[in-house]
Amino acid sequence: MNGTQLVDVSRRCGTGMPEAFLSMWHPRNAVMSSKCPPVLHMPSMGEQAHRLAVLSETFIAAFSQQPQFFSRAPGRVNLIGEHVDYCGFAVFPMAVEQDILVAVATNTTGMLNICNVDPSHAPYSCDINNFEINKERPSWYNYILCGVRGIKDEGGMQSPFIGLNMAISGNVPPSSGLSSSSALVCASALGMSYAHGLSLALDTLAEICGRCEMHVGTQGGGMDQAISFLATKDTAKLIEFNPLRATSVALPHGASFVVANSLAPMNKAANSYFNCRVMECRLATQVMAKRAGLPWRTFQKLGDLQQALGKTLPQMISMVEDTFEVRPYSKRQVCELLNTTPEELNQVSLSENTRHIQEFKLHDRALHVFSEAHRVWEFKKVCEEGGPYALHQLGKLMSDSHRSTQLLYECSHPKLDTLVELSSSLALGARLTGAGWGGCMVALVEESKVEQYKEHLWKNFYSKEPAAEGRPRESVLFSSHPGPGAYVFVKIWHLAMSELQSEWLAVMRWISNNREASGDAESRINHNGFLLDLLIVMLRVGA
Ligand code: ADP
Ligand code: NG1
């Protein structure tokens, strides 16, 4: 973010022009509240400016034109609340600094052309008005197609859509539980939306992206896309679903969150581990609903069941103990409990890539979900109430969460468990973050001990880990501070020129239509006067 001028010039989001332009004259205090993604002036210095320059070069080399704008969406680290979003329960993430940048320009061919600064990701092209997303093959560009498809389906515009050229640069470690995939979906959807002049609010974009990422075949719950759009700098968010709400929660002073990559990658779309857990939760919901005399076929999420029953989370935990035995249930036994056939179970309850599964651990999965959902609210309460033991209480909640994902949800990895064990002497608490089966751990560490802690992990884990060889320490082990959500970057010059051009054309059209003078025309002419003033000032300062 170094060198980024936080000037929101969002003209497409219902912000009045004069207000937006005033912000340009006073850049220091000009972060405007807008429900649409902010539109910022390109940074001129720092790492992001460097990445944008490299991205522009890639774009020009691939498409022989300049990018018209850049969209950007961050990854996230989830502090607590794992595998509960798709059950309808609240989560507690914050955006990380690492992000996906997309350089975008329109073309006249109706094609969607995609390339990447990383040459290991081969370029891809398709007709923007007619493409399929192949669920069988988890190709990198599928996530971009998801974002584009989301806006096509739900952005409120009719086809034909304008052709786009897109180049991607990302530094969120992929398949590591920091949501690189969702950052890619969100940045692409934002690029598609901005290129078509849409004024979609942040929460609308978050909801569209939560749904459209499912086109790759995974059935996530919307946490990653929500935080990627709704994050604000310096605070973590309590995210609730249905309806989507994000509440800022200040984290207690005196401690840092340190992220450590286990260097065991896990691509969710390449296997059925993730969806298997989603389905086990769905089956547990349906069995509990049937036992409570509710129409089980209409229930999908443990959270909806809790609401229908009007019970507290501890009461739901007791209900799990009363309903299930601690053993796995075969598919036939689940059918017996629901009084249904395997064919109907496949149809009503299971996704395509989980129909082959023959055994489901209903007790353990449901117990994890209700107890983890409870820990999220406890975590929020401790953050808000503070007190001398706050940091230790937060640490304990995180460690309990890890044990639950490891033993009940069985989504940890031996390398993650090693990192968590190594953390016990110096961190207040540590847990896997994201989907798991590899990926990252997040630890809460007293500020005074952060460097010692990192050194300890480096010496006892990374120096013995062949996958860490030659990798800069910061790329695998870093302190994380809550970053901002998605936004668009424009060159201020391009912004003014395109405004001038479109407004001037509108005035010319009005004159040629020979309409009566009206307030509308008057305000357009005032507006253009304003734009001309701006242009003159910019020419003077050489913007
Ligand atoms: P996570 O979202 O936890 O990082 P996923 O397995 O869901 O993990 O998604 C990772 C996939 O996202 C990668 O396999 C790749 O296809 C895609 N991806 C992530 N970052 C990039 C990038 N910078 N460029 C191209 N594709 C990327
Ligand atoms: P990551 O860590 O990005 O793979 C996945 C899901 C989340 C959530 C977490 C587990 C997607 C896009 N993301 O995240 O919704 O369920 O696992 O808490 O499916």
Side-chain angles (χ1 to χ4, degrees):
M1 284 292 296
N2 274 354
T4 302
Q5 244 182 307
L6 282 177
V7 182
D8 185 339
V9 288
S10 330
R11 70 199 190 287
R12 302 172 193 231
C13 305
T15 44
M17 279 305 276
E19 196 189 347
F21 276 83
L22 270 180
S23 73
M24 289 190 202
W25 313 130
H26 305 288
R28 276 183 202 289
N29 54 5
V31 186
M32 292 161 48
S33 74
S34 160
K35 285 189 136 190
C36 285
V39 181
L40 307 180
H41 185 193
M42 297 264 291
S44 51
M45 306 178 307
E47 202 210 320
Q48 199 148 39
H50 174 70
R51 283 176 60 213
L52 288 167
V54 173
L55 181 57
S56 292
E57 279 169 27
T58 305
F59 190 95
I60 294 164
F63 306 120
S64 307
Q65 68 173 143
Q66 290 273 352
Q68 288 159 349
F69 67 92
F70 300 83
S71 54
R72 174 261 172 204
R76 60 102 186 96
V77 55
N78 190 23
L79 301 180
I80 199 156
E82 224 57 84
H83 289 279
V84 298
D85 59 346
Y86 50 77
C87 297
F89 291 114
V91 290
F92 205 102
M94 65 188 197
V96 291
E97 201 177 283
Q98 291 89 333
D99 58 17
I100 298 279
L101 298 170
V102 186
V104 188
T106 53
N107 64 45
T108 52
T109 61
M111 296 295 284
L112 173 61
N113 301 312
I114 304 165
C115 71
N116 200 303
V117 292
D118 176 351
S120 70
H121 297 303
Y124 182 76
S125 290
C126 60
D127 179 345
I128 199 164
N129 288 292
N130 184 20
F131 62 77
E132 299 283 326
I133 303 172
N134 183 346
K135 280 192 182 131
E136 311 306 319
R137 241 180 332 131
S139 312
W140 76 276
Y141 52 78
N142 277 355
Y143 298 96
I144 299 172
L145 299 185
C146 285
V148 170
R149 165 98 185 259
I151 300 301
K152 281 174 62 176
D153 290 349
E154 300 191 57
M157 261 190 87
Q158 300 291 321
S159 61
F161 296 91
I162 310 165
L164 294 181
N165 296 335
M166 286 182 161
I168 313 295
S169 163
N171 63 3
V172 187
S175 300
S176 302
L178 301 184
S179 277
S180 66
S181 62
S182 303
L184 192 49
V185 172
C186 294
S188 309
L190 180 55
M192 170 76 179
S193 153
Y194 193 77
H196 284 84
L198 300 178
S199 310
L200 300 175
L202 290 166
D203 47 3
T204 308
L205 283 161
E207 286 185 317
I208 292 176
C209 290
R211 285 186 284 272
C212 71
E213 187 164 344
M214 292 195 203
H215 291 303
V216 294
T218 49
Q219 310 234 343
M223 154 169 67
D224 310 342
Q225 303 83 359
I227 191 69
S228 195
F229 281 110
L230 301 174
T232 48
K233 201 166 165 355
D234 300 332
T235 58
K237 295 276 180 186
L238 177 89
I239 307 252
E240 295 167 87
F241 302 95
N242 199 21
L244 183 63
R245 276 156 295 164
T247 310
S248 294
V249 182
L251 297 166
H253 291 293
S256 277
F257 289 97
V258 176
V259 176
N261 196 330
S262 71
L263 299 176
M266 195 319 257
N267 181 240
K268 284 192 307 296
N271 57 55
S272 57
Y273 298 163
F274 183 83
N275 279 1
C276 174
R277 294 294 177 275
V278 181
M279 298 308 136
E280 286 176 308
C281 291
R282 188 177 294 166
L283 293 178
T285 307
Q286 295 177 333
V287 171
M288 289 167 84
K290 177 142 185 8
R291 196 162 180 265
L294 295 168
W296 66 269
R297 290 175 183 81
T298 63
F299 283 87
Q300 302 266 311
K301 297 179 181 176
L302 289 165
D304 293 344
L305 177 68
Q306 186 209 0
Q307 269 198 359
L309 294 173
K311 290 184 186 284
T312 62
L313 287 166
Q315 285 170 333
M316 292 307 291
I317 291 173
S318 306
M319 196 174 161
V320 170
E321 300 294 2
D322 294 344
T323 308
F324 299 113
E325 290 175 39
V326 186
R327 60 176 171 87
Y329 287 76
S330 69
K331 195 164 179 174
R332 186 179 53 77
Q333 287 166 331
V334 174
C335 289
E336 280 167 15
L337 288 172
L338 291 173
N339 193 19
T340 187
T341 60
E343 291 71 33
E344 196 198 14
L345 199 74
N346 284 345
Q347 217 53 49
V348 174
S349 312
L350 301 177
S351 68
E352 264 169 54
N353 72 345
T354 55
R355 290 185 184 147
H356 65 283
I357 297 172
Q358 292 301 323
E359 232 181 41
F360 304 97
K361 294 195 175 174
L362 305 185
H363 170 275
D364 288 3
R365 310 311 187 217
L367 186 58
H368 163 77
V369 170
F370 288 123
S371 49
E372 182 76 354
H374 190 55
R375 279 188 284 272
V376 170
W377 290 101
E378 292 289 299
F379 199 89
K380 176 176 181 266
K381 198 165 115 198
V382 175
C383 286
E384 287 172 348
E385 289 176 357
Y389 305 111
L391 291 178
H392 287 275
Q393 288 167 329
L394 295 179
K396 177 167 184 326
L397 286 167
M398 290 175 69
S399 299
D400 291 349
S401 167
H402 182 75
R403 245 185 314 282
S404 184
T405 48
Q406 179 192 18
L407 302 176
L408 295 175
Y409 223 66
E410 295 178 290
C411 63
S412 190
H413 184 281
K415 289 194 177 170
L416 276 171
D417 296 337
T418 305
L419 279 169
V420 169
E421 274 161 37
L422 283 171
S423 300
S424 61
S425 57
L426 284 167
L428 296 154
R431 57 181 293 278
L432 70 81
T433 184
W437 293 283
C440 289
M441 173 199 75
V442 57
L444 181 67
V445 186
E446 278 174 53
E447 249 150 35
S448 57
K449 294 190 179 155
V450 167
E451 281 317 309
Q452 190 190 352
Y453 171 70
K454 286 188 192 167
E455 209 46 59
H456 170 70
L457 288 192
W458 194 258
K459 184 164 155 240
N460 294 295
F461 183 84
Y462 293 101
S463 66
K464 300 175 182 164
E465 179 54 56
E469 231 174 79
R471 295 188 60 161
R473 185 163 126 170
E474 265 300 298
S475 71
V476 293
L477 177 62
F478 53 90
S479 305
S480 192
H481 192 72
Y487 46 78
V488 170
F489 278 127
V490 287
K491 290 181 183 149
I492 214 156
W493 173 254
H494 285 180
L495 177 76
M497 285 309 283
S498 69
E499 274 295 334
L500 251 185
Q501 194 184 0
S502 63
E503 290 298 321
W504 190 245
L505 279 175
V507 172
M508 295 307 279
R509 222 177 293 127
W510 176 80
I511 292 170
S512 67
N513 285 346
N514 200 18
R515 277 175 39 191
E516 295 271 275
S518 70
D520 180 40
E522 211 173 291
S523 71
R524 278 194 181 287
I525 286 160
N526 285 342
H527 183 178
N528 280 319
F530 199 71
L531 283 162
L532 276 173
D533 287 349
L534 170 75
L535 202 59
I536 291 160
V537 173
M538 284 195 321
L539 281 172
R540 282 207 196 117
V541 298

